[in-house]
Amino acid sequence: QVQLVESGGGLVQAGGSLRLSCAASGRIFSINAMGWFRQAPGKEREFVGAIYWNSGRTYYGNSVKGRFTISRDNAKNTVYLQMHSLKPEDTAVYYCAATSGPTVQAINDYDRWGQGTQLTVSS
């Protein structure tokens, strides 16, 4: 199995930047892609972006395009979510997830999830 641990959440002012990390362990070889999702109180879990483990190809949700960047360090088995120009509406619990399948934008694409890390953006 794959274990995922997120870190880096916190409180940041609007317009600021923050980087989240997601460290993977276990059956790393089974991972085809890793994704980031977020869930705000009372809202559904939303796709933020994803990165294919080998190719590095990335996809982003419309609400974060141009502001967020996903990268990976294969040597450290870690994926990063660099966030810029943060807005109060970015406030949510951010989750990373791993999939062995080919598609990456739906919650059901993923079978391993981290515990989540809270991001709060103050206005």
Side-chain angles (χ1 to χ4, degrees):
Q1 293 188 358
V2 173
Q3 292 79 44
L4 304 173
V5 178
E6 302 99 333
S7 60
L11 174 64
V12 63
Q13 289 188 334
S17 300
L18 199 68
R19 190 180 76 165
L20 305 181
S21 301
C22 177
S25 61
R27 296 168 58 95
I28 305 297
F29 62 86
S30 68
I31 298 175
N32 187 43
M34 291 184 65
W36 286 96
F37 289 76
R38 66 185 183 185
Q39 189 165 19
K43 295 188 176 181
E44 295 185 351
R45 194 165 295 192
E46 175 190 16
F47 173 72
V48 174
I51 186 167
Y52 283 94
W53 195 255
N54 289 327
S55 69
R57 186 173 183 178
T58 54
Y59 293 91
Y60 296 96
N62 289 334
S63 61
V64 305
K65 281 181 181 177
R67 298 189 298 124
F68 291 11
T69 302
I70 296 176
S71 62
R72 86 246 191 262
D73 184 334
N74 287 22
K76 296 182 178 180
N77 297 327
T78 299
V79 171
Y80 303 99
L81 178 65
Q82 179 68 55
M83 304 177 289
H84 296 294
S85 302
L86 284 164
K87 307 174 183 179
E89 50 263 45
D90 293 318
T91 296
V93 177
Y94 283 71
Y95 299 90
C96 72
T99 178
S100 57
T103 55
V104 296
Q105 298 190 45
I107 293 173
N108 291 339
D109 289 335
Y110 298 85
D111 52 10
R112 288 290 179 263
W113 293 83
Q115 82 286 355
T117 186
Q118 175 72 45
L119 169 66
T120 302
V121 182
S122 62
S123 57

